[in-house]
């Protein structure tokens, strides 16, 4: 197949210009402006302290401000909703805790779906959780406790209420 001279020159010019155009297609460095970290709890609590230490470290590392914003109320739902409704550009982050996952079961009419609307970026901490019961309860494992609870109705002699 023979290409007309004009078409060949257009293709050659396009191929020569391609490396120059790639420079302009590079993504912006993140972050190029201040980042908000929303903490859905009051200032001074452990979550707030963690956010402030993390924000300072990220500011030092990236040379851009990471601003901590406390948006309290409704067990963390107000702050979480603020993040859900923010632009999905990575400049509004949520420091979520366990209450954020519990709230989906506690509140039936939330204006967001935590699992669908929030994407995890990093895990920054964790801790052990312990389930305790009165020593008179015959269950010694979680499985035994669940079986015990499934077989009861009302309140039993151990004070367990369904």
């Amino acid at each position: 197949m023979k290409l007309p001279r004009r078409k060949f020159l257009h293709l050659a010019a396009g191929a020569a210009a391609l490396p120059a155009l790639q420079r302009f297609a590079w993504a912006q460095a993140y972050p190029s402006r201040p980042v908000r970290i929303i903490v859905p709890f009051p200032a001074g609590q452990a979550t707030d302290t963690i956010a402030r230490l993390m924000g300072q470290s990220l500011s030092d590392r990236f040379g851009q401000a990471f601003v901590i914003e406390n948006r309290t109320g409704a067990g963390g739902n107000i702050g979480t909703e603020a993040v859900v409704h923010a632009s999905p550009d990575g400049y509004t982050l949520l420091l979520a805790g366990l209450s954020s996952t519990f709230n989906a079961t506690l509140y039936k009419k939330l204006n967001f779906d935590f699992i669908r609307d929030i994407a995890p970026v990093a895990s920054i901490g964790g801790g052990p959780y312990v389930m305790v019961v009165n020593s008179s309860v015959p269950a010694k494992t979680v499985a035994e406790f669940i079986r015990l609870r499934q077989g009861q109705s009302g309140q039993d002699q151990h004070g367990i209420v369904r």
Side-chain angles (χ1 to χ4, degrees):
M1 176 178 149
K2 186 173 179 182
L3 285 176
R5 183 174 182 188
R6 181 174 292 236
K7 191 165 195 161
F8 173 79
L9 292 174
H10 281 227
L11 290 172
L18 191 59
L21 290 177
Q22 279 184 328
R23 281 187 308 170
F24 300 110
W26 287 344
Q28 286 184 340
Y30 176 85
S32 61
R33 59 187 169 93
V35 177
R36 289 187 317 155
I37 300 175
I38 294 185
V39 179
F41 305 106
Q45 290 189 352
T47 308
D48 177 65
T49 303
I50 290 167
R52 292 181 188 283
L53 292 170
M54 184 179 66
Q56 184 61 52
S57 177
L58 290 169
S59 291
D60 294 345
R61 181 174 179 181
F62 291 109
Q64 190 59 256
F66 281 74
V67 180
I68 309 307
E69 183 178 329
N70 298 88
R71 300 284 295 268
T72 63
N77 290 331
I78 292 173
T80 302
E81 187 173 347
V83 173
V84 167
H85 294 301
S87 263
D89 57 6
Y91 286 90
T92 304
L93 306 175
L94 173 70
L95 188 56
L98 279 178
S99 65
S100 299
T101 58
F102 296 153
N103 286 347
T105 61
L106 297 175
Y107 298 91
K108 296 299 177 199
K109 294 186 179 184
L110 293 173
N111 295 325
F112 60 89
D113 179 342
F114 188 79
I115 301 298
R116 181 195 66 220
D117 297 332
I118 298 291
V121 176
S123 176
I124 59 169
Y129 286 88
V130 178
M131 183 175 137
V132 294
V133 296
N134 188 308
S135 61
S136 65
V137 175
K140 301 298 178 211
T141 67
V142 174
E144 288 176 6
F145 182 77
I146 291 170
R147 281 195 300 275
L148 181 68
R149 295 285 295 134
Q150 289 173 340
Q152 297 176 345
S153 62
Q155 184 172 352
D156 68 1
Q157 70 273 13
H158 303 293
I160 300 173
V161 180
R162 261 179 54 142

